[in-house]
Amino acid sequence: MQLTGNLLIGQQSVAGSNGTIHAVNASTGAAIEPAFGGATLADLDSACALAWAAFDSYRETSPEVRAKFLETIAQNILDIGDDLVERCMVESGLPRGRLEGERGRTVGQLRMFADVVRNGDYIGARIDPAQPERKPLPRVDLRLRHIGVGPVAVFGASNFPLAFSVAGGDTASALAAGCPVIVKAHSAHPGTSELVGRAVQKAVKDCGLPEGTFSLLFDSGRDIGQGLVKDHRIKAAGFTGSRGGGTALMKLAAGRPEPIPVYAEMSSINPVLLFPGALGNRTEGIAKAFVQSLVLGAGQFCTNPGLVLAVDSPDLDRFIEAASSALKETAAQTMLTPGIHKAYEAAVEKAGSHADVKTAARGAEARDDHQAQSALFATTAEAFRNNQQLQEEIFGASALVVRCPDLASMLELIESMEGQLTAALHIDDSDHAEARRFLPALERRAGRILVNGFGTGIEVGHAMVHGGPFPSTADGRSTSVGSLAIERFLRPVSYQDLPDALLPDALKAGNPLGLNRRINGKVQLAE
Ligand code: NAP
């Protein structure tokens, strides 16, 4: 499929005239064609005007129409065929298998949200019928449903060019909620973005939806991304990326005359806690599995296990030894962008030269300037506690093992840590009593607690939380993966004493949408 390098504004394909963006071959650093034209402020205004004009009719589409739309996007993405995977491989440096899997996840997410829309529980319909006879005062008729918040800005993620980008989890959940979406493409994968963007644009047309339901903009600087978050017609934003980028957008959103939420997923080191029983019984097995998880995808996962905590002991020495031998065997891998590679190299260099840090092992050396060599470091609990630098995320295949004097000091470290996406406990039966003592602190610190595994595999389902207290995300009350992600883009509206004819279908007496509804506080299942 031929790339145009154009912006997608509603159904128009528009040549951007505000500078250009070139994709870069992640493996060689060479610029690749075509040039993508950056959006002007006038383009941004057109996309926002169309999105706003689309909002009222799009959010009132029937569940079936909206579900079909999400399924059509999924099919249109599959219909691009191998062109999508090939372009994405060049732009991201990620291997075919990973990207084919990621495409499957992207399509699966869209279909899951189609089911969520059809099911209708997300509408949260509640009815407290009028009680005209109630004494001393009659009760009014009150009905509640959730509606989309309004047009949503989505910032594609560099590390998930399909599953968290143009038609990824943020877009799928916002569209499912009834919100038009404007995507600011990530500059690391503009070609992938255009291909997927055209699949979404075509689905809008195929399904007869208002054209402003979706737009895709390229930004040659920062003005368009920032302008999007500041535009009065945008009512929420989804973001995955750096802490600096996420907090900059949060500040802009909070400073608007009408502040809006930015659901930013930013930085997490995902502590792995090795309890004495498990560490003693399964040292080598845990070490090998840990290294596999650490180097997966060159460590470019927000749930990458960047920190290991354990009591200093001969068992921990054996763990570090086993992990070091496994790590030395790991090949260097191409990183997503030269910028991310440079940031990784600088952070690893800084960690390795820290007076309180020992380099336990490095992976195989890089064969070119774009590959990253994995790294394992070790330090003490005291050094970790006293050095903020050691607590910061190194985006890539690097981890730090912290030797704790005892379990009490390990718990203290957890208490002092920033918010995390995941916390992984490695335990045997003999560790249960100690592990239970850690759970309240872990619940306060992390969005997902897991046992005898690592956070890198994220199941897309109904009970998944991919979120956590700041700075892992901007708002720990939400998730960006799984069906609950739709709640970020919904708002409750209550209707008092409206005649049936004026009520939305979700709340009408005859229940024409066949929803499960909460009547007088009790769930009444649809017949
Ligand atoms: P990034 O620099 O934060 O960029 C993410 C997106 O936000 C891009 O579209 C970027 O625009 C835009 N952006 C960044 N700062 C902005 C600002 N101040 N105003 C407006 N827009 C802004 O993240 P990245 O490029 O993906 O990766 C850089 C670093 O982020 C990595 O080295 C890593 O540390 C971290 N990261 C973390 C995760 C995670 O899940 N925890 C995931 C990916 C990256 P451009 O496209 O124009 O740059």
Side-chain angles (χ1 to χ4, degrees):
M1 197 181 283
Q2 196 70 24
L3 290 171
T4 64
N6 285 349
L7 313 166
L8 306 179
I9 301 181
Q11 285 300 308
Q12 306 299 311
S13 177
V14 178
S17 57
N18 185 14
T20 52
I21 300 127
H22 267 97
V24 167
N25 182 320
S27 308
T28 64
I32 26 179
E33 295 302 323
F36 290 78
T40 60
L41 291 175
D43 295 325
L44 170 67
D45 184 62
S46 302
C48 290
L50 282 175
W52 186 248
F55 177 44
D56 278 344
S57 60
Y58 177 63
R59 70 185 171 85
E60 289 302 344
T61 47
S62 71
E64 189 50 35
V65 166
R66 222 183 301 158
K68 270 262 151 46
F69 172 47
L70 293 165
E71 288 165 348
T72 306
I73 297 173
Q75 190 55 49
N76 290 354
I77 290 172
L78 290 176
D79 289 347
I80 304 169
D82 214 36
D83 285 0
L84 178 61
V85 175
E86 281 181 357
R87 176 77 191 192
C88 197
M89 282 168 67
V90 177
E91 289 184 333
S92 68
L94 295 169
R96 172 176 287 278
R98 149 76 198 268
L99 289 173
E100 285 176 350
E102 193 178 322
R103 178 176 59 182
R105 173 175 161 181
T106 309
V107 165
Q109 283 174 165
L110 286 157
R111 291 177 176 154
M112 177 191 73
F113 279 112
D115 290 344
V116 167
V117 171
R118 280 201 183 92
N119 166 281
D121 283 353
Y122 77 94
I123 295 171
R126 294 168 173 229
I127 300 177
D128 295 344
Q131 292 176 352
E133 311 304 329
R134 192 181 71 172
K135 300 285 183 228
L137 290 172
R139 187 171 87 171
V140 294
D141 182 277
L142 266 184
R143 293 165 190 248
L144 176 156
R145 71 163 175 162
H146 288 81
I147 64 167
V149 289
V152 170
V154 170
F155 289 74
S158 60
N159 60 337
F160 278 97
L162 298 172
F164 258 79
S165 205
V166 176
D170 285 340
T171 298
S173 53
L175 290 175
C179 302
V181 167
I182 302 176
V183 175
K184 201 298 268 178
H186 198 292
S187 52
H189 52 262
T192 305
S193 297
E194 183 190 328
L195 291 173
V196 176
R198 275 159 54 186
V200 183
Q201 188 189 48
K202 181 171 179 297
V204 171
K205 191 169 178 212
D206 293 344
C207 297
L209 294 170
E211 64 166 329
T213 303
F214 174 80
S215 290
L216 172 71
L217 303 175
F218 299 104
D219 186 3
S220 61
R222 293 280 189 242
D223 287 354
I224 299 305
Q226 298 189 352
L228 198 50
V229 169
K230 284 194 287 189
D231 191 281
H232 65 281
R233 292 157 292 198
I234 296 295
K235 302 300 180 189
F239 168 96
T240 301
S242 66
R243 187 169 178 167
T247 49
L249 296 178
M250 284 165 67
K251 272 194 198 128
L252 282 180
R256 290 171 32 141
E258 180 199 1
I260 57 164
V262 174
Y263 295 99
E265 198 224 293
M266 298 169 286
S267 145
S268 180
I269 53 176
N270 306 302
V272 175
L273 284 63
L274 308 179
F275 283 79
L279 183 59
N281 294 336
R282 296 182 284 119
T283 323
E284 275 81 22
I286 298 174
K288 271 191 194 142
F290 159 67
V291 169
Q292 268 171 17
S293 173
L294 178 67
V295 303
L296 195 70
Q300 300 167 119
F301 288 109
C302 35
T303 48
N304 199 48
L307 179 71
V308 178
L309 303 178
V311 174
D312 200 4
S313 62
D315 287 336
L316 182 57
D317 291 339
R318 283 199 297 124
F319 172 84
I320 294 175
E321 228 169 82
S324 298
S325 334
L327 192 98
K328 281 176 193 156
E329 301 297 313
T330 60
Q333 296 177 73
T334 302
M335 293 198 82
L336 292 160
T337 67
I340 287 176
H341 178 254
K342 204 169 146 208
Y344 173 77
E345 291 296 332
V348 164
E349 166 70 30
K350 200 168 158 199
S353 55
H354 195 289
D356 297 326
V357 172
K358 284 201 176 108
T359 302
R362 297 297 308 263
E365 278 187 17
R367 291 179 303 280
D368 62 50
D369 291 346
H370 305 280
Q371 289 191 331
Q373 193 184 1
S374 48
L376 185 65
F377 300 107
T379 192
T380 62
E382 198 192 349
F384 183 77
R385 201 175 19 249
N386 296 334
N387 288 284
Q388 178 58 32
Q389 180 210 325
L390 301 183
Q391 300 173 29
E392 284 165 13
E393 178 186 24
I394 297 181
F395 190 67
S398 168
L400 177 65
V401 180
V402 178
R403 295 174 181 273
C404 303
D406 48 30
L407 284 170
S409 63
M410 198 159 126
L411 183 53
E412 270 171 32
L413 283 194
I414 292 288
E415 292 281 13
S416 69
M417 281 175 70
E418 295 188 306
Q420 304 293 330
L421 292 170
T422 68
L425 286 72
H426 287 262
I427 52 174
D428 279 358
D429 288 354
S430 59
D431 297 313
H432 281 192
E434 285 299 345
R436 186 174 292 113
R437 290 202 314 119
F438 276 66
L439 285 176
L442 292 172
E443 286 165 349
R444 275 184 268 112
R445 284 285 168 269
R448 178 162 55 111
I449 300 164
L450 60 138
V451 161
N452 292 338
F454 298 93
T456 33
I458 304 177
E459 190 66 38
V460 180
H462 303 291
M464 172 52 70
V465 172
H466 186 62
F470 185 87
S472 65
T473 66
D475 187 339
R477 291 169 299 176
S478 60
T479 173
S480 58
V481 176
S483 58
L484 201 63
I486 194 173
E487 294 200 348
R488 299 173 299 167
F489 303 120
L490 292 169
R491 186 172 72 76
V493 178
S494 198
Y495 303 83
Q496 185 172 326
D497 286 337
L498 265 69
D500 204 60
L502 291 188
L503 281 169
D505 284 353
L507 301 175
K508 282 192 196 307
N511 195 9
L513 298 183
L515 299 175
N516 301 323
R517 306 195 289 189
R518 194 173 279 273
I519 315 266
N520 279 326
K522 291 212 169 65
V523 175
Q524 212 166 80
L525 298 178
E527 285 165 13

